[in-house]
């Protein structure tokens, strides 16, 4: 797992998409994916399909793709929390990485820093890796507040008992819109995020900062060439084999 921190990460976020049969077909196609030693590949499926995904990764793909969850309960262990799935359960079925605080969680479920912090701690406590998503809205960017907003979102990482920090910078206005931040905007924000993490966790912190927001087969090469970009969190383009593997190949060649 230590080599993860030197690799480019390409994590697909299926959101609320997928069906047993389609997922299986996609997993089988991944068998022909050439070996990529410079890329850590992950797929975040809906919770109900995580076990299917994990089994396929083990049986068909020799664990070449990490199993990622899109969310986790803020409650730990077991208990009377109907509908919830705890970090312990995620660990039990073989999840590796858990997305925390995706902007859609904040938009539709009102999740803010306090809940995200509880989730991150739960995930760390069971030995899994949280991937914190941060990003400003269009309004916030137009008001010149993007760094202030991101600094506040990143403050959930303060004082965590870990030296391994993974963040996805996803400007909300670029998610699912086809609008991609410019390479200058990405470089500026990624450098800022690095500085914030280093100031909280020290120079020996192991850091990955992924870019997310309409990454596709055509723009991935340019995005991976931006300084401080350690990979991509990919929504729409992760649903099709060809576009997702083009992004993986771009990461391998970057
Ligand atoms: C996302 O949901 O994390 C995302 C980046 O979506 P898309 O690539 O579709 O913009």
């Amino acid at each position: 797992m230590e080599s993860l921190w030197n690799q480019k990460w390409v994590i697909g976020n299926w959101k609320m998409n997928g069906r047993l049969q389609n997922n299986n077909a996609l997993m089988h196609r991944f068998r022909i994916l050439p070996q990529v030693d410079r890329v850590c590949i992950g797929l975040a499926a809906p919770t109900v399909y995580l076990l299917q995904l994990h089994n396929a990764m083990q049986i068909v793909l020799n664990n070449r793709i990490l199993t990622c969850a899109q969310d986790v309960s803020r409650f730990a262990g077991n208990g009377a929390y109907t509908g919830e799935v705890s970090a312990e359960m995620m660990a039990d079925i073989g999840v590796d990485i858990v997305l925390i605080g995706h902007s859609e969680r904040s938009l539709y479920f009102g999740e803010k820093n306090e809940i995200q912090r509880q989730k991150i701690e739960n995930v760390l406590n069971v030995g899994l890796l949280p991937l914190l998503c941060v990003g400003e809205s269009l309004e916030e960017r137009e008001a010149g507040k993007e760094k202030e907003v991101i600094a506040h979102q990143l403050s959930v990482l303060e004082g965590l008992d870990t030296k391994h920090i993974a963040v996805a910078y996803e400007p909300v206005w670029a998610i699912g819109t086809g609008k991609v931040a410019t390479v200058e905007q990405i470089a500026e924000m990624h450098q800022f995020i690095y500085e914030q993490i280093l100031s909280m966790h020290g120079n020996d912190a192991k850091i990955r900062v992924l870019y997310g927001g309409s990454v596709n087969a055509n723009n991935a090469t340019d995005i991976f060439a931006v300084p401080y970009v350690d990979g991509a969190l990919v929504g729409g383009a992760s649903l099709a084999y060809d576009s997702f593997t083009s992004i993986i190949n771009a990461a391998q060649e970057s």
Side-chain angles (χ1 to χ4, degrees):
M1 280 298 244
E2 205 52 35
S3 63
L4 276 187
W5 303 91
N6 300 317
Q7 289 176 319
K8 284 255 179 354
W9 294 11
V10 177
I11 311 282
N13 175 13
W14 287 358
K15 309 192 186 196
M16 200 169 73
N17 292 289
R19 293 291 185 274
L20 283 174
Q21 212 175 344
N22 292 352
N23 305 347
N24 261 338
L26 193 57
M27 290 302 121
H28 277 270
R29 287 202 72 188
F30 276 115
R31 285 188 302 178
I32 58 164
L33 180 70
Q35 197 71 38
V36 281
D37 54 347
R38 303 184 57 214
V39 188
C40 158
I41 310 167
L43 281 174
T47 310
V48 71
Y49 297 126
L50 284 175
L51 190 55
Q52 178 201 14
L53 213 72
H54 180 65
N55 288 343
M57 306 303 188
Q58 282 192 309
I59 297 161
V60 189
L61 293 165
N62 207 12
N63 289 323
R64 289 174 59 205
I65 300 181
L66 298 182
T67 305
C68 307
Q70 298 175 11
D71 187 35
V72 66
S73 178
R74 70 179 200 269
F75 300 106
N78 303 301
Y81 304 109
T82 303
E84 291 289 272
V85 178
S86 68
E88 284 79 354
M89 294 168 179
M90 300 282 181
D92 191 35
I93 65 149
V95 166
D96 302 291
I97 294 177
V98 183
L99 306 192
I100 304 285
H102 190 282
S103 61
E104 286 151 15
R105 300 293 317 164
S106 146
L107 179 66
Y108 300 118
F109 306 96
E111 274 183 23
K112 297 284 179 269
N113 283 24
E114 198 188 328
I115 289 176
Q116 290 169 12
R117 173 66 180 223
Q118 288 168 345
K119 293 183 173 188
I120 291 172
E121 286 184 355
N122 292 348
V123 168
L124 288 174
N125 284 341
V126 296
L128 305 186
L129 200 67
L131 171 56
L132 175 69
C133 304
V134 299
E136 79 284 358
S137 66
L138 187 58
E139 231 179 10
E140 289 161 342
R141 177 161 279 271
E142 284 175 349
K145 289 186 172 164
E146 62 273 14
K147 287 189 181 158
E148 190 187 317
V149 168
I150 300 303
H152 174 67
Q153 294 175 347
L154 288 172
S155 69
V156 301
L157 300 172
E158 219 156 334
L160 284 178
D161 187 19
T162 178
K163 285 281 179 192
H164 296 86
I165 302 290
V167 168
Y169 170 60
E170 302 204 298
V172 177
W173 46 272
I175 295 180
T177 58
K179 282 186 199 154
V180 187
T182 65
V183 290
E184 290 79 14
Q185 288 170 326
I186 297 174
E188 187 183 4
M189 296 309 289
H190 277 235
Q191 182 173 358
F192 177 71
I193 291 168
Y194 253 83
E195 287 163 0
Q196 295 289 304
I197 298 171
L198 289 169
S199 76
M200 284 187 270
H201 291 276
N203 286 335
D204 57 341
K206 301 261 200 272
I207 301 171
R208 292 290 86 182
V209 182
L210 318 189
Y211 171 77
S214 300
V215 176
N216 60 39
N218 298 324
N219 59 28
T221 299
D222 291 342
I223 292 170
F224 291 138
V226 176
Y228 300 100
V229 171
D230 302 317
L233 182 54
V234 183
S238 69
L239 294 169
Y241 177 82
D242 289 339
S243 50
F244 192 55
T245 51
S246 295
I247 296 168
I248 293 167
N249 290 331
Q252 172 70 10
E253 281 154 28
S254 65

